[in-house]
DNA sequence: GTGAAAGCGCTAACAT
DNA sequence: ATGTTAGCGCTTTCAC
């Protein structure tokens, strides 16, 4: 028994300073009129006890936790890692904390995280997870903002200009002399805006598209095998690859090196994302860089503005246009 | 006024079910004897209101938040990203949430995060940040576990067997015929166990060590320039590089490609970490893989066991030996 | 089997 | 300029 180290409470501070708990609260929050004398005594007591206000109690009372739930596929991938750093930084500047949830591509997991975040009374959610068709999002009464993937027309979405990126990459391949650039992506379809960009450029040039897909969550070594088989099938008729993420581009480069295919002479490669980490690992890779810091700041601003002005409009039901930010082409030796 | 969507509370459920709040609590926590009838009615009311217990209130009452603070340099780097995914997964399995703090190499920031985490009454802290000399850690009364870097002999530390890794990498370079392998690392010194491994192997072989350093938080493009200048200075007398992380190794490979230096014929390269992301980006890279999942599970177990059995020993003052897990050599074409 | 009351740590409202 | 009271949503006594 005895000194089970319990954190000191406001009452402890109040007793030590010889004032009421309310006064302590007032000193902490700088509210109302306080004599300098009282302020000093309280400050001293706080110091002495190494007192720190209990944010849990504040949250219970104030009905806001200053916590934001962030759901991402996995921060093990540099793109999402960089996004989470950007979010955390932007949130921190506005006094918010981040609860991280890595959904790992499991819809079931994502649903559970949603429940959990609601139970923990986060003030809002930023989601970048890749599972579509999670109807639970529709029922959420909390402010939500998505990054990259669009969840529903009613939920604000922030992303880079994927279609321009797709065009930029494809145009570069053509400009460098590719006769038949292929697309290597995760999910093909009209919602893949990078693919839309790729197709539009090829259509204008009168070239038949060539598209390979490897599911986003395919584990190694299956993933490399699939990419390898696809390359073997198409080369050398295909002479350029637009990979919709840098890691796929890296796998292509590795395969080419092993197959003794010269890059860029026999095969040109362009990636997508342009994270700092991958640019350090693969400085030779030409890629389309997403403005991650911009996306993150914008997502956080959108979300927190909703939260702060939440009194009258708990959930806005009007459709919102996605916010798109421009990408940058980074040219290097692979094209 | 009117329907400002307030989350339903236990009282709302109780009213709807025609029972007392206490009974609702009992149903939720499966405590005491309850008639099936009551259970059903409460369950139905919960369903109807879409009620979710408020974890904030539970935390205030129960004195534990089920939140763990995780401080890392930056999850934008794949190693730390993968670590955080591993931690989050291990924590989730035991019913804990993760508050992420990216210290970005700023000691001041790290101090603030510590304050913040204490204020939020996290149940424990896992730290992998790279700032030494943060005396605040010593004052913490909370369970702390560190990953990779050692903070103090009293704080449990979990990491891979860095020294063996250093030996493995260096031995491989020698075995492949290097006459003079150099070390490229962040901070040189006796606390750099990968360097210790490197030096021990070279000493045994009677070879003079060659060491280059680039500070961990050096931004691009300065970082690449420093590495490039160092390589220019030493090649070709140096014919092998042991880079203590994979991204540095990638930068070396990029430099070699641009300088038309053949890898592995003129220069052999070995990295360190072996994260999934970098192995996808750089499949040709030989590297030492850290057992990240093992490290994470172990760190979480250590921490949570301390937390659960925390009643008698708030802070254990005895020195603890670091827990080291074996690394794996992954051979590829770069050596 | 179930309910009433007290209290976790804090702050807003209402005194004085 | 400061103290008293009440209550945020929950669980844990202690009654009945």
């Amino acid at each position: 028994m005895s000194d089970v180290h319990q954190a000191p409470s406001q009452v402890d501070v109040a007793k030590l300073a010889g004032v009421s708990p309310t006064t302590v609260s007032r000193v902490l929050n700088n509210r109302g009129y306080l004599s300098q004398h009282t302020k000093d005594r309280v400050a001293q007591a706080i110091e002495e006890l190494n007192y720190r206000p209990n944010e849990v109690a504040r949250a219970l009372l104030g009905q806001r936790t200053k916590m934001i739930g962030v759901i991402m596929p996995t921060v093990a991938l540099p793109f999402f890692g960089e996004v989470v750093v950007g979010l955390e930084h932007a949130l921190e500047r506005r006094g918010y904390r981040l609860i991280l949830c890595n959904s790992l591509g499991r819809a079931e997991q994502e649903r559970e995280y949603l429940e959990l975040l609601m139970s923990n009374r986060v003030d809002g959610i930023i989601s970048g997870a890749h599972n579509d068709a999670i109807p639970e999002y529709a029922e959420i009464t909390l402010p939500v903002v998505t990054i990259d993937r669009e969840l529903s027309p009613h939920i604000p979405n922030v992303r880079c200009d994927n279609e321009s990126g797709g065009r930029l990459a494809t145009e570069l391949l053509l400009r460098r002399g590719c006769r038949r650039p292929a697309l290597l992506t995760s999910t093909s379809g009209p919602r893949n805006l990078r693919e839309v960009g790729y197709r539009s450029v090829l259509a204008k040039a009168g070239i038949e598209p060539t598209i390979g897909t490897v599911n986003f969550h395919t584990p190694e070594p299956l993933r490399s095998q699939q990419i390898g088989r696809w390359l073997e099938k198409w080369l050398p008729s295909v002479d350029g690859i637009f990979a919709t993420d840098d890691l796929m581009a890296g796998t292509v480069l590795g395969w080419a090196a092993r197959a003794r295919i010269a890059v860029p002479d026999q095969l040109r490669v362009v990636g997508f994302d342009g994270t700092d980490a991958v640019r350090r690992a693969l400085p030779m890779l030409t890629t389309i860089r997403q403005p991650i810091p911009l996306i993150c700041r914008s997502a956080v601003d959108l979300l927190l503005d909703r939260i702060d002005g939440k009194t009258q409009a708990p959930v806005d039901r009007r459709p919102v246009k996605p916010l798109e930010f421009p990408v940058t082409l980074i040219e290097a030796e692979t094209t």
Side-chain angles (χ1 to χ4, degrees), chain A residues 100-223:
Chain A
L100 180 66
C101 304
N102 298 108
S103 60
L104 303 177
R106 294 198 280 267
E108 175 58 27
Q109 181 77 308
E110 187 166 352
R111 254 188 296 270
E112 274 171 33
Y113 276 133
L114 241 29
E115 294 278 317
L116 193 134
L117 293 173
M118 308 280 295
S119 289
N120 282 280
R121 297 299 190 267
V122 295
D123 295 335
I125 291 176
I126 298 177
S127 172
H130 265 206
N131 309 303
D132 292 315
I134 306 242
E136 279 79 355
Y137 276 105
E139 295 167 15
I140 285 186
T141 70
L142 231 59
V144 178
V145 170
T146 58
I147 284 186
D148 206 34
R149 110 85 178 233
E150 213 169 345
L151 254 183
S152 120
H154 303 285
I155 298 177
N157 177 242
V158 186
R159 62 192 188 209
C160 76
D161 186 344
N162 286 304
E163 192 177 335
S164 289
R167 278 200 301 267
L168 236 51
T170 314
E171 281 163 1
L172 178 68
L173 289 171
L174 293 183
R175 201 159 64 237
R176 293 296 175 84
C178 287
R179 312 293 313 273
R180 183 155 183 193
L183 177 78
L184 181 54
T185 190
S186 297
T187 311
S188 175
R191 293 187 47 190
N192 183 336
L193 298 176
R194 298 176 198 172
E195 178 181 344
V196 170
Y198 163 80
R199 283 180 182 276
S200 80
V201 170
L202 284 205
K204 203 172 291 172
I207 299 175
E208 186 75 7
T210 313
I211 297 180
T213 60
V214 178
N215 185 283
F216 188 78
H217 295 286
T218 310
E220 288 288 356
L222 189 59
R223 159 178 287 277

Side-chain angles (χ1 to χ4, degrees), chain A residues 271-293:
Chain A
F272 206 104
D273 287 346
T275 56
D276 290 342
V278 173
R279 294 188 60 213
R280 281 174 57 186
L282 279 171
M284 310 290 286
L285 179 66
T286 294
T287 189
I288 307 293
R289 184 173 67 202
Q290 297 201 47
I292 297 181

Side-chain angles (χ1 to χ4, degrees), chain A residues 6-38:
Chain A
Q6 261 282 41
S9 81
Q10 218 172 60
V11 179
D12 300 318
V13 176
K15 276 186 192 142
L16 184 60
V19 297
S20 77
T22 311
T23 302
V24 177
S25 170
R26 281 200 264 258
V27 173
L28 259 80
N29 300 288
N30 248 318
R31 248 189 269 297
Y33 303 90
L34 293 277
S35 73
Q36 191 57 46
H37 177 67
T38 316

Side-chain angles (χ1 to χ4, degrees), chain A residues 258-280:
Chain A
R258 230 174 311 231
R260 306 275 168 221
I261 293 191
V263 173
D265 298 337
Q266 299 173 63
L267 183 69
R268 295 171 190 280
V269 180
V270 179
F272 206 104
D273 287 346
T275 56
D276 290 342
V278 173
R279 294 188 60 213
R280 281 174 57 186

